[in-house]
Each structure stands twice: as structure tokens, then as C-alpha cells.
Amino acid sequence: MQYHRPTSFNEAAALANQATGETRFLAGGTDVLVQLRADIVTPDTLIDIKSIPGVGDISQAPDGSWTIGIAVPGAEMREHVQLGQDWPGLVEAMDLIGSTQVQGRATLVGNLCNGSPAADSVPAMVAAGVELSVTGPTGNRRIAAVDVPVAPGRTSLAKGEVVSAVHVPARGTNAGDAYLRFIPRTEMDIAVVGCAVNLSLDTEGTVTAARVALGAVAPTVLLVEDAANALIGSSLDDKALDRLASAASAACNPISDKRGTVEFRTHVAGVLAKRTAKIAYARAQGENT
Amino acid sequence: MALDDQKPSGFKFVGTSPDRPDGLDKVTGRARFGADAYAPGMLHGAVVRSPHAHARIIRIDTSKAEALEGVKAVVTRADFVDGLQGEFGFVLENVMAGEKALYDGHAVAAVAASSQLIARDAVKLVEVEYEVLPHVTDVDAAMAENAPVLNDSYADASVPAGHHPNVVRYHDSGHGDIDAGFAEADLVIEDSFKTEATHQGYIEPHACLASLGGDGKGELWCTTQGHWIAQKTCAALVGIDTSQLRVTASEIGGGFGGKTTVFIEPVALALSRKANRPVKIVMTRSEVFRATGPTSSTSMDIKIGMKKDGTITAAQGIFRLQGGAFPGAPMEFSAMCAFAPYALANVHQVGYDVISNRPKQAAYRAPGAPMASFAVESVIDELCSQLDLDPIDVRLKNASREGTKASYGPKFERIGLVETLEAAKAHPHYSAPLEPGQGRGISCGFWFNHGGETSVSLALSEDGTCQISVGTPDIGGSRASMALMAAEELGIPYENIRVTIADTATLGYNDVSHGSRVTYASGLATIKAAKDAVGKLCKRAAAKWGIPEDAVYWEDGCAKPSGANAGNFDPMPLAKITKSMGRTGGPISGHFEATPEGAGVSFGTHIVDAEVDPETGKTAVVRYTVIQDAGKAIHPSYVEGQFQGGAAQGIGWALNEEYIYGEDGRLQNSIFLDYRVPVASDLPMIDTVIVEVPNPGHPYGVRGVGETGIVPPLAAIANAVSAAAGVRLRHLPMSPPRILRALKDKG
Ligand SMILES: Cc1cc2nc3c(=O)[nH]c(=O)nc-3n(C[C@H](O)[C@H](O)[C@H](O)COP(=O)(O)OP(=O)(O)OC[C@H]3O[C@@H](n4cnc5c(N)ncnc54)[C@H](O)[C@@H]3O)c2cc1C
């Protein structure tokens, strides 16, 4: 195994581009190292991207948008008061990952690029409209988080491409997001269903914009337009919530496995969508939930 | 032993809860567990396991593995003793497959190499050619007419004609006239139940370090609940004399019954002999799940008749237990424990031991009893609710008492079931209001407890301190309890006593730490060994004073003349006697060995409140109270720990833990991510009430407490969940998908 510690994204991309066999970037390592030890994937090339300047920073632009470094662990996001006020759903989704120890390491990009359909922060990123800067052998591009996963364990990133930053839009007024997952226990479990909702309201409390994303109910994260449309124009009355639940359930394309049946996941997706929407709505109205 | 031999109340040390002597080592990491042993020149072993549930082994080609740089030995079944019969034969077949692989994860070969990574790579180079055979993993399916046959020679003479060869043992017991009893009932309920297999879930995986020379002399370090059984079994499997293998038990990171047998130990010994180097093997978690003993899965039919006033008129149970690929599923314990809490005129129980393509079951706390209790206590709960009777009153009305003829045969001696029920009824939990969406359940439970072969030695040091060698690995704080009992007898402080788990070369045979026997049996032997030493101390004092031996007695850590006639001497403290013992007759020790028969049975009653989310089927256990008869709590805080631990494991078993097999017969969830034991935040504070109805068979009245606590939870939680959900749950675990399905079916 080759281990590299580049000091720029261009160098990282070049190393990855030249590598043969299995290549992994080492961010927090909470997937990569676990898979290595469990004899699931032993990379031929391991590129540690934590020594690149700026990868541990969280910063806000004058327009209110945020840039989160690719090595920022969940614990730092959680301790960032301003980020948490703007994007409580994104922060709570990241915060659900693992234990205190895992929180000290795990990153948003690692969660996304590991490619698990059940990754907790991914629906929240998608609902928030997060975009990523990607550095490749031939230059940089920007890509929406929703377009990264293409299948379980696979991403749309090309050989030699490395994510170099996470961009979270400006929060705007009267807006809020939330994330809930269903697990049979209370901690240290993997989402059987995950749901993120991001809402903007007008001053009357009518939903003007909505994004609803579901995790663990299809091979990749789902951005469910019908579910968003069920909410837009409503003030989250029961009818709108029922339409939301139906749309969320209808979008599901899950598998039956040790973690849950098709029937169960489909039903719970609707239940969670309602519950998540209510929290996001309350937050958009300025309630501290 | 007669009750009048018992120590009167007024204990000085017994009944206090000092810190455990192994505590500091455990919190600082100094304690040495199974994987913490190293030897010069040590190799690392790894096991090749079958990916198939059932397959004939056509050929094993080890040449590529042997050719890998760093590989020092490869073993297969040919490296073990041939022709072993009975349980040793089954154990050997389980630790290293012969002609067939019988379950996913079954060991077929093993390698030893100079590093763990090389061993891991070498495993992949062992080529095994299999002929895959049809498999069966479900208990009912395994008994059905066309089920694949695992082995047509395993069934013993107990099995009546006409059963599938996978039914290997049969049990039938009871008394009275069942039909007449059911005819007397105002309401008869008959229902069927299933429970899935669960694993003990000990945090420490199996690990050992073995060294065996060509001279047939060996050393073994391992994490085990019983190193003498490990010694005997390993010696038989590798073909050496028992006494030539010295086994040392490491600190143990949980066992719960699962470490009462061997898995990797004989394999490490065989590898060591072949490589002529020490070999260490540490299982991965996935190996622990796939290839060590979970408990049985079950299918049960229960029929109980009750009068309007709550009298049970008759009870019948059929208990089918799947115990993996070998005989031994504890179906007779299911049958015998099922109705034990109740005084029944008419009772009949039947058990089936069924083999299937799963790992060989191992004991798990009160083996067989929790599942049976789940089924029986669910039906009693249903009867109570349909007849509108209080579930505690009904249980009190039918409760077994001293003199009751037990459902499994003998007459009960002094027992404490009624006391636990009365304490439950009086407990504030039982009358606390419930929130909407919550339900309350109760259940009783029974376990036999055990005595077993036991041997303890105790030696006094010249400074007046004491060292005790016991042979039962400390799985629940027993070193503290032994020290307390010795302190009580010797009259010296708890801190002045060090208790060591001795290796097999130091003491005679000690039965495993199982059957809730340690505080009872090793405790009894510790007390007797201390009394033996006290006798010698008195003798030395008598000699010094020049008075007869029987004119001296022992009190508060001193020899004293027994009265004015004996002479007027100052009390002689223990330390004064030991200081000069070299000159007054030599070292002073005490010893006791026996197979005590008086392990008093134990009962418990649990109260549970559960809340069910009707939209997702998710259950939260919101309040839990364990009430159990401990006979006499030597160390109350560790007794409570046992109660709480039983409840915690029961919560896992009831709600989310299960072995999930795919169509291909492979275990789907062999890691803790998907084998869902409760995490700390899943549990409420588990309240405890220690009832003390002394056991006449122990000098201080001790009853074992380790197992009874896991018997009632499955039923108590199922009763609470059924009440909260408004529908009877008959299949464990009550995972959210199962509850949601039941709610939908109810409509
Ligand atoms: C005990 C435990 C509990 C867990 N609980 C949860 C949970 O509750 N929910 C959940 O969703 N996950 C959970 N995880 C999984 C894991 O912690 C998360 O997926 C985490 O976010 C991964 O981040 P990381 O930085 O550690 O990724 P790494 O392991 O460093 O990398 C993961 C993958 O992402 C790729 N990658 C990393 N950075 C980049 C980059 N900049 N550009 C391109 N590719 C990149 C790597 O090549 C690799 O394939 C748990 C893991 C453990 C060990």
C-alpha cells in the first residue's frame, strides 16, 4: 500500500490520477480504516488529504453562504454556533453519525463519497442544496451533492477527482431545515429511513420553497419533487402533510433486508417526512427546536 | 446442610458493597484479558471457515497457503484425535469440520503465521472444494418431512418413532390429568409463539494463546468461564493427558454461558504442536457471531385453562428448540422451567431438540427458560385480561410455595416467589399511572441454580493477611463476594484478603462458572476453607496457652478462651498467630472440596412499562423494576448488577436482537451494527428490589442470582408491548417491522 500526504488539491488529484488499483482518500478514515481492518477494502493507494491548507476551516461569505473544509469533523460543525443557527438540520444530521469518538473524525464529504444509501448527512446536504468543488486532473468543477452518488458504493467522481470544498447556500429569512432518521435503537445504528426537509416561508407562514430528500429507501439518496410540491403553497395543514407522506412513500424504491422490509421502509418514509417537515416549519418560523 | 449450621444474622462484612478488587485494573487497562497474552516466538493463527450452510468437503488443498512466506503450520481435521464419541465428538466436529461443513462459518482448516496479516492472507490461499447441499435453518422447517438431513445418527433413544432424523432428543414430563383439568376451566387459551436466536453478546471475543510441545506437555491461556472443562476437552481433542495441559483463565470480558465450551483453543494447540511455536488466536466479532454459540431459536405451543377466580386448572406446553448442527438444545430446561412458578394439579410439557444448519448453540443465562417463560406468561397475561383479573393476584393465587410439587417433579423447599410477588404488588411502580400509548406488563420467572464440583484453598500470610485460590472465573464480581465471606469467617478486613482465580495446576477440578453457582458453591467452599483455617488457628492458640483445643473459640478475628474454666488469656489476634506460625507448626491453610447439592432455586418478578409508537412500531422501555429472591445478598450492589444485566439483555432479546439468515443460509448480520444489542441510551434506569428468603442449603442462605434475572423480561416486555399496542405479540424480537405488521393486521 502506498501512503501519500499531499499539500494541495492539485497534487492530490495528480496522485490519484496516476495511481493504479484501489485508491482511497483519507479524510476522517471512519469508513476507510474500518473497511481496511475488516478486510473489506485494502487500498493500493491511500491519499491523506488532511494536510492541505484550509481543509479544517468553516467560513461564511458576505452573501451569507458557507464554505466547509473537507476535513472538518462533525464535532466542529456542531460546536459552530452560527452554522447551527443557519442550518440546524444539516448539523444535526452530521451529528447523528456514530459516537463521540467518530464525531471527532467523520466528515461530510467522507459520508457522501463512501456512497452508502443510508448515509445520514447526505439527505440533509441534498435538501439544503449543497454543492461541492471538485478538483480533477484537468481543472476544477462544481457539482450538486445530489449528483454525487450513482449507486451503492459508487460516485460520479471521475478518476483523479477529489472534492475540495463544501458549499452551503445562504440561509435566507423565514427558512429552516431538519433531519430525522428511523433506527430501531436510540444511538449507534444505521438509518432504516432518513428524511431531510428544507423550507422557506413567506411572512404569513405559507411555504414558498421546499426540498424533501430521503435516504435508505433507494439505491441513492432521493430528492422528491412531488413531496416538495405537496408542501409549497400550504401552511403545513394536515392535508398537505398527508400529501407529503403519500408522495414520500410513493417515491421509495427500497429493498427488504436485515434492516427493514420494503413495506416498513415505505410506510415509515411517509411518517418521517411529516415529522421532519413539522420541525423544519417550526424552525422557519423562528422556533428553537 | 442443616439450617442450624447457618450463621445467624448480624453480619459484619457480608451485605456490604465494597469496591471490587479487580476494579482498578479494569478501569486503568492493566487487567489482562484473553487477547493480552504474548509469548516469545509467538505465531498468529487464523481459521478458514465455510461460506456454505451445508456442504460436503470434497478436498482441501493447503499447498498454496503453506508456500506463503511466513506461514508455519496449517491444520485440518486430520490433525486432531480420531473417533471421539459423545459430547467431545460433537465439540471436535464443531471446532473443525470433518466430512461436511454444517453451517455458515464452520471451521474447516486453520493456519499459523508470523503475523496476523500473513495469517489472514494465508486463509484465502487455502482451497476448499465443496459440494453444496440443501440446508435448513428454521426449527419448524427442520422438523418437517422433507427437510434436509444433517446427520442421521445423532438422534438418541428418547425420540419416539416417526420423527425426522433432525429431531435428536425428546422430553416428556408432567403430572395429573390434563384433559380433566381443561374441562374444569372457564376459559382455555391455546396459542403459538416463536423466538429467534440471540447471542450472549459478550464484549470480549474469544482469544487464546496456546503452546504444545512434541512431548505432549502444554500451556493454554484463554478467556473462559471454566478452565478445567477447557483442559479436559482440549486434552481429549488433541490427544494428550489431561494433567499435562495447564490452563490459565484470563480476565473475562463477559461470557453469560457462551464461554463454557471451547472453539479456537484446541485449534491453537494443534497449530502450536505442528509449528512447534506458541500460537495466539483472537476471533473477530464476525467469527464470534458466525461460529460460537448463540442460544436456540424456538417454536412453542401453549395451552392453559383458568377458572373465573383465576385458578389455573391445567397447563400444557410444547417446546421445539433448534440448537444448531449438534444435539444439545436445552429443550428440557424450557419444559421444566415453563410452569415452575405455579402450583399445578395438571401439567404436561414436551420438548424437542432439533438440529439445523446453524452454529452449535451454547448456554446463555438460564438456558431455555426465558423463551418458555415468554410463551407461558403471555398466555397467562391473556387469560388475566380476558377474565378481567389482576395479573399479580392471579400469580399469587397459583404461586408455588414451600412443599408445592414442582411442575418438573420434586417438592420445593423454602422458596421466595410469593415474597417477590408481594413486593411487586407493593412497589410504587405497580400502581403508577401510565401515559397514553404505554402499557404495563409483568412476569414471573424461575431458574434451578446449580452446585457443581468445587475446590477452594486458602492460605494465611505471616502478616495476618489471607490469599484465596478459587477455581471459578470471576464473571460477576465474585472475587469481592469470596473476600467478604472469608472476611466474615476470619474476622479480618476485606482489604486484607486477595482472591485469585487459580490455574488448573493449582487446584482440583472446578466446574464451570455457570448455573449461577459461583457465589453459592465457591462461596460455600470459601467459608468451609476459612473454617478449616480457623480450626488450625484455634489449635495454635490452645497450644500456646496450654489448654485443650476445644476450650478455644474464634470471634472477631481472635482466638479466645471459651470461658472462665478455660483460663484467663487475652484474645489472640490472627496476625499474632500467623507471625509465629513458622515456629509453631508451619504454614496455616484451609481447604475445602465438594459437590454441594443445596443450590436453592430462585424466582423473580419483573414489572415493565413500554411505550409503542403506533406509526413506526418502535418501542421504548420507559420503566423497569426487577424483584428477585437472592437468598442472602453477599454484595448487594453486584447482586443488583446481575438483576440489571439480566433485564438489559432481556430487553435486547425481546425487542431487537436476532440471528437473521438469508435464503442462502448465510448469517446476514454478523456485526454489532446489525445485531442490535441495546445501547445505554435504550435503557431506562433499572430499579431493583432484593428479596432475601434464605436458602437452607448455604451457610449464609445464598441463592444464585445470575440467571433468574433474564427469565422474566421477554414475557414482561411482551405483555407491556401487547398492552400498549393493543395486539398480542407472539414472535420475538418485537422489532418495529413486526409490531407495525401486527398493528396493520389488527386493522
Ligand atoms: C462506529 C461508527 C459509527 C458510524 N455511524 C454512522 C452513522 O450513524 N451514520 C452514517 O451515515 N455513517 C456512520 N458511520 C460511517 C462514517 O463515520 C461516515 O460515513 C463518515 O461521515 C465518513 O467520513 P470520513 O471522513 O471518516 O470518511 P473516510 O473514511 O475518510 O472516507 C470515506 C470515503 O470517502 C472518500 N473521500 C473522503 N474524502 C474525500 C474527498 N475529499 N474527495 C473524494 N472522496 C473522498 C474516501 O475515498 C472514502 O471512499 C459510522 C462509522 C463508524 C465507525
Side-chain angles (χ1 to χ4, degrees):
Chain A
M1 187 198 299
Q2 296 268 331
Y3 174 82
H4 303 280
R5 203 158 60 182
T7 51
S8 73
F9 283 109
N10 284 331
E11 190 190 345
L15 284 164
N17 197 39
Q18 288 150 17
T20 53
E22 290 292 338
T23 301
R24 289 290 183 277
F25 294 103
L26 185 65
T30 60
D31 282 314
V32 167
L33 298 181
V34 172
Q35 289 162 10
L36 172 70
R37 283 176 153 247
D39 204 11
I40 297 167
V41 181
T42 304
D44 300 289
T45 305
L46 195 56
I47 305 171
D48 187 340
I49 45 183
K50 289 191 292 299
S51 297
I52 301 172
V55 294
D57 298 344
I58 300 177
S59 59
Q60 190 171 26
D63 69 352
S65 68
W66 293 89
T67 299
I68 301 174
I70 53 91
V72 170
E76 299 221 6
M77 287 175 60
R78 176 166 182 184
E79 282 172 17
H80 200 290
V81 177
Q82 194 60 47
L83 181 67
Q85 275 167 3
D86 274 11
W87 292 101
L90 177 63
V91 172
E92 77 193 346
M94 189 63 207
D95 185 49
L96 281 174
I97 293 176
S99 56
T100 304
Q101 293 91 327
V102 170
Q103 278 291 308
R105 290 257 137 191
T107 65
L108 284 171
V109 179
N111 198 222
L112 179 67
C113 295
N114 182 54
S116 163
D120 279 307
S121 73
V122 175
M125 282 195 266
V126 168
V130 163
E131 294 187 354
L132 307 150
S133 289
V134 175
T135 303
T138 56
N140 297 336
R141 64 182 179 119
R142 211 162 146 126
I143 177 176
V146 67
D147 293 328
V148 173
V150 293
R154 294 220 336 263
T155 70
S156 60
L157 298 180
K159 183 172 166 65
E161 282 193 319
V162 57
V163 176
S164 45
V166 180
H167 306 286
V168 188
R171 174 65 287 185
T173 49
N174 299 330
D177 71 333
Y179 176 76
L180 288 179
R181 67 174 179 182
F182 181 84
I183 54 172
R185 296 180 285 188
T186 49
E187 281 277 1
M188 298 306 290
D189 214 326
I190 182 166
V192 179
V193 180
C195 180
V197 175
N198 181 22
L199 299 176
S200 299
L201 317 180
D202 64 16
T203 45
E204 318 285 77
T206 303
V207 177
T208 54
R211 287 169 73 88
V212 178
L214 293 171
V217 293
T220 60
V221 62
L222 298 176
L223 179 62
V224 189
E225 229 169 286
D226 288 349
N229 290 336
L231 299 179
I232 294 171
S234 82
S235 49
L236 226 72
D237 51 284
D238 286 350
K239 276 205 183 119
L241 286 169
D242 286 344
R243 284 198 308 270
L244 165 70
S246 305
S249 291
C252 294
N253 175 27
I255 51 167
S256 277
D257 70 359
K258 59 204 169 193
R259 292 168 187 157
T261 57
V262 168
E263 177 198 20
F264 181 78
R265 287 187 149 119
T266 307
H267 172 83
V268 172
V271 173
L272 276 198
K274 281 186 179 185
R275 293 182 181 178
T276 317
K278 284 186 196 166
I279 300 170
Y281 189 80
R283 285 175 178 164
Q285 289 189 310
E287 286 172 37
N288 217 345
T289 55
Chain B
M1 187 176 315
L3 196 58
D4 60 8
D5 195 30
Q6 290 192 13
K7 190 125 183 149
S9 55
F11 290 107
K12 190 167 172 196
F13 299 99
V14 163
T16 64
S17 295
D19 287 347
R20 58 202 301 154
D22 47 316
L24 185 68
D25 282 358
K26 283 184 175 158
V27 298
T28 56
R30 197 168 56 162
R32 291 173 68 227
F33 290 92
D36 295 323
Y38 305 85
M42 179 180 96
L43 303 175
H44 298 267
V47 178
V48 183
R49 298 187 181 278
S50 167
H52 305 296
H54 194 190
R56 196 172 306 288
I57 299 169
I58 307 293
R59 190 179 58 91
I60 302 179
D61 183 349
T62 60
S63 56
K64 285 192 183 126
E66 278 160 1
L68 184 69
E69 170 100 40
V71 172
K72 305 294 181 191
V74 182
V75 295
T76 61
R77 180 62 174 272
D79 296 279
F80 296 85
V81 167
D82 219 12
L84 285 177
Q85 297 297 314
E87 182 62 15
F88 285 163
F90 297 141
V91 174
L92 175 56
E93 194 66 45
N94 188 40
V95 305
M96 193 55 71
E99 287 167 15
K100 290 205 293 184
L102 294 166
Y103 56 90
D104 165 42
H106 198 166
V108 296
V111 302
S114 50
S115 81
Q116 253 170 322
L117 282 177
I118 295 173
R120 188 163 106 176
D121 287 344
V123 161
K124 294 174 198 154
L125 293 175
V126 174
E127 287 173 8
V128 187
E129 190 186 326
Y130 295 100
E131 176 198 340
V132 176
L133 303 169
H135 67 269
V136 62
T137 54
D138 175 77
V139 60
D140 292 320
M143 294 175 75
E145 209 174 323
N146 298 322
V149 177
L150 273 77
N151 188 315
D152 60 12
S153 69
Y154 279 177
D156 73 11
S158 66
V159 183
H163 284 291
H164 189 282
N166 290 342
V167 178
V168 292
R169 293 184 316 121
Y170 177 81
H171 168 96
D172 189 315
S173 64
H175 56 251
D177 181 341
I178 282 291
D179 295 330
F182 285 125
E184 274 176 54
D186 292 315
L187 178 62
V188 176
I189 292 184
E190 200 172 350
D191 217 338
S192 298
F193 299 85
K194 281 196 104 150
T195 66
E196 296 304 325
T198 54
H199 196 273
Q200 298 82 350
Y202 32 82
I203 296 304
E204 182 200 24
H206 297 264
C208 68
L209 173 61
S211 178
L212 178 57
D215 58 358
K217 292 187 172 62
E219 303 273 341
L220 175 66
W221 160 276
C222 59
T223 174
T224 179
Q225 288 175 249
H227 34 315
W228 275 269
I229 191 75
Q231 177 194 36
K232 195 160 87 171
T233 311
C234 288
L237 268 51
V238 300
I240 60 172
D241 293 338
T242 303
S243 295
Q244 296 299 347
L245 181 63
R246 184 169 74 113
V247 185
T248 307
S250 71
E251 284 291 346
I252 181 169
F256 312 108
K259 290 179 183 163
T260 55
T261 181
V262 295
F263 299 101
I264 47 175
E265 296 82 354
V267 178
L269 283 162
L271 284 167
S272 170
R273 176 164 59 189
K274 204 158 184 178
N276 204 20
R277 301 260 289 271
V279 174
K280 177 172 173 174
I281 301 183
V282 180
M283 273 190 170
T284 63
R285 177 59 55 185
S286 172
E287 287 182 291
V288 172
F289 277 119
R290 287 170 73 205
T292 69
T295 187
S296 297
S297 60
T298 69
S299 157
M300 302 170 286
D301 303 330
I302 306 295
K303 183 177 176 184
I304 302 178
M306 195 176 271
K307 284 194 191 160
K308 282 192 182 125
D309 70 355
T311 307
I312 300 174
T313 58
Q316 186 169 32
I318 301 171
F319 306 92
R320 306 172 196 90
L321 272 69
Q322 165 285 128
F326 304 92
M331 53 80 183
E332 59 276 71
F333 293 162
S334 302
M336 292 162 80
C337 295
F339 300 107
Y342 306 110
L344 302 174
N346 309 297
V347 59
H348 181 217
Q349 49 247 340
V350 171
Y352 294 92
D353 176 358
V354 183
I355 56 174
S356 81
N357 295 109
R358 295 192 185 210
K360 186 179 193 304
Q361 65 80 37
Y364 180 14
R365 274 183 129 155
M371 311 82 132
S373 188
F374 156 61
V376 168
E377 299 277 322
S378 292
V379 173
I380 293 180
D381 192 64
E382 196 59 41
L383 285 160
C384 292
S385 84
Q386 290 190 25
L387 292 172
D388 200 19
L389 298 167
D390 177 81
I392 292 189
D393 288 344
V394 165
R395 284 171 173 86
L396 272 169
K397 191 175 193 76
N398 296 285
S400 291
R401 294 157 197 266
E402 186 170 0
T404 298
K405 180 177 167 60
S407 56
Y408 61 94
K411 267 202 167 70
F412 284 122
E413 294 188 15
R414 186 77 182 92
I415 54 173
L417 173 61
V418 166
E419 287 80 351
T420 68
L421 281 163
E422 283 168 349
K425 203 166 177 193
H427 196 283
H429 183 172
Y430 195 59
S431 49
L434 288 167
E435 305 278 320
Q438 297 182 344
R440 178 164 297 148
I442 78 140
S443 171
C444 295
F446 160 84
W447 184 245
F448 308 96
N449 294 334
H450 183 53
E453 289 168 73
T454 310
S455 155
V456 167
S457 284
L458 170 156
L460 300 175
S461 303
E462 89 297 339
D463 60 356
T465 59
C466 171
Q467 56 189 55
I468 304 178
S469 297
V470 300
T472 40
D474 181 351
I475 56 174
S478 59
R479 275 168 291 190
S481 295
M482 300 304 133
L484 284 168
M485 288 184 264
E488 197 70 49
E489 292 295 328
L490 297 171
I492 60 172
Y494 168 82
E495 293 74 21
N496 288 10
I497 298 168
R498 172 155 183 175
V499 184
T500 300
I501 310 304
D503 64 37
T504 55
T506 310
L507 286 172
Y509 191 88
N510 271 273
D511 195 0
V512 181
S513 293
H514 70 165
S516 300
R517 75 180 209 85
V518 172
T519 309
Y520 166 71
S522 284
L524 180 145
T526 296
I527 292 167
K528 298 275 185 179
K531 285 188 191 296
D532 185 23
V534 161
K536 293 171 187 171
L537 287 161
C538 288
K539 198 170 165 184
R540 301 281 168 104
K544 176 106 180 159
W545 290 329
I547 62 175
E549 230 177 288
D550 56 7
V552 177
Y553 75 105
W554 192 258
E555 188 180 63
D556 291 336
C558 296
K560 297 179 180 175
S562 54
N565 291 345
N568 190 10
F569 303 104
D570 285 344
M572 193 179 292
L574 184 142
K576 188 163 179 205
I577 303 172
T578 55
K579 194 170 178 199
S580 60
M581 65 187 170
R583 284 174 278 118
T584 60
I588 301 176
S589 307
H591 183 78
F592 186 79
E593 56 201 19
T595 302
E597 302 280 352
V601 304
S602 163
F603 291 89
T605 300
H606 291 200
I607 315 172
V608 184
D609 296 350
E611 187 170 309
V612 174
D613 179 343
E615 289 184 322
T616 64
K618 182 169 166 170
T619 298
V621 176
V622 293
R623 187 165 181 185
Y624 203 116
T625 305
V626 179
I627 302 144
Q628 188 178 316
D629 177 16
K632 173 70 200 169
I634 301 298
H635 189 297
S637 149
Y638 297 161
V639 168
E640 287 175 354
Q642 291 295 317
F643 290 6
Q644 291 166 326
Q649 287 185 311
I651 289 171
W653 199 336
L655 295 183
N656 284 307
E657 291 182 39
E658 67 177 306
Y659 266 50
I660 302 171
Y661 280 91
E663 292 286 312
D664 56 4
R666 290 183 184 155
L667 182 61
Q668 303 289 299
N669 56 335
S670 68
I671 50 171
F672 271 136
L673 177 61
D674 292 311
Y675 180 86
R676 295 173 167 127
V677 298
V679 298
S681 52
D682 292 335
L683 303 174
M685 178 62 201
I686 296 163
D687 198 3
T688 56
V689 177
I690 303 176
V691 169
E692 294 187 315
V693 176
N695 166 25
H698 184 276
Y700 299 169
V702 166
R703 296 176 197 270
V705 297
E707 290 169 292
T708 302
I710 203 172
V711 182
L714 312 192
I717 297 161
N719 290 341
V721 168
S722 299
V727 54
R728 174 68 49 192
L729 276 307
R730 300 181 186 82
H731 190 167
L732 299 188
M734 297 173 287
S735 56
R738 276 202 192 105
I739 291 183
L740 207 57
R741 180 106 289 273
L743 286 168
K744 278 202 175 149
D745 290 347
K746 179 186 74 158

